[in-house]
Amino acid sequence: FYYNFPMMLERVLHLMNMEYFSLKMNRYISSIDYGYAMRFYDPRVLFLFFFTLVLYLLRNRIDTNLTLFLSKVFLIGAIVSFIFISNTIMFLRIGYLFQIVIVLLIPLLIKGNIHLLPKNQRVLYIIIPVYFFLLSFLLLINANEYVFFWEV
């Protein structure tokens, strides 16, 4: 079901007489440069699996309404990403619209659960942001030129 979801969405846009968006989305998801399937061993997919598992394990330890709200927004983004896993660009762009909350969510989860870590492992509070900074930096260095779907 999920494998053809981008094409089904394109059909729905077509049925709703949104021909312009339907045509542009069809070109976008059919593109050789962007229309390929996301690999399950891609670090971004593995991170989604890992962080979703972390949220599941910490579900009873979420103590603030903000953390609960951000967790739900992240999970919506993860679900949307997995729905669009057959198309890399849709996986990244639409899913990350929701997953941007991870920038706030990780520090809140660490702050609320740091007492569970032994004292020598509390260095994770520093290591995790550094990891994300390096990951972002490497992704920026290797990034492809950005093209809007209506310019394709």
Side-chain angles (χ1 to χ4, degrees):
F1 165 72
Y2 69 90
Y3 191 76
N4 291 321
F5 191 79
M7 199 57 86
M8 289 172 26
L9 182 59
E10 185 266 331
R11 298 282 184 217
V12 168
L13 289 172
H14 178 74
L15 291 174
M16 294 173 56
N17 286 329
M18 299 179 81
E19 295 292 329
Y20 178 77
F21 291 110
S22 172
L23 178 64
K24 293 298 182 179
M25 186 168 177
N26 189 12
R27 283 190 201 159
Y28 202 51
I29 62 178
S30 301
S31 167
I32 295 170
D33 297 329
Y34 304 114
Y36 56 93
M38 195 77 170
R39 296 179 304 268
F40 282 105
Y41 57 85
D42 188 285
R44 293 167 287 199
V45 175
L46 294 176
F47 177 76
L48 273 180
F49 279 127
F50 171 75
F51 198 74
T52 303
L53 177 66
V54 167
L55 283 177
Y56 176 76
L57 294 174
L58 294 176
R59 70 188 181 280
N60 295 328
R61 298 190 183 275
I62 294 176
D63 55 353
T64 65
N65 288 335
L66 177 63
T67 308
L68 181 63
F69 174 74
L70 294 176
S71 298
K72 289 178 180 180
V73 171
F74 176 82
L75 289 175
I76 290 170
I79 291 168
V80 168
S81 290
F82 289 125
I83 287 173
F84 286 107
I85 201 163
S86 66
N87 190 279
T88 299
I89 202 66
M90 302 296 276
F91 174 92
L92 296 173
R93 293 193 179 158
I94 293 178
Y96 281 12
L97 286 174
F98 295 99
Q99 294 170 28
I100 192 70
V101 299
I102 202 165
V103 174
L104 299 172
L105 186 57
I106 288 177
L108 286 172
L109 287 174
I110 292 173
K111 181 180 177 189
N113 296 294
I114 197 161
H115 64 280
L116 298 174
L117 296 173
K119 292 207 184 286
N120 60 349
Q121 290 182 352
R122 291 188 181 177
V123 73
L124 290 175
Y125 200 58
I126 296 170
I127 291 175
I128 291 176
V130 170
Y131 165 77
F132 279 105
F133 174 76
L134 290 175
L135 179 64
S136 300
F137 182 73
L138 291 173
L139 288 173
L140 284 173
I141 288 174
N142 296 322
N144 294 332
E145 179 184 349
Y146 185 82
V147 178
F148 289 104
F149 73 91
W150 57 80
E151 294 175 347
V152 176

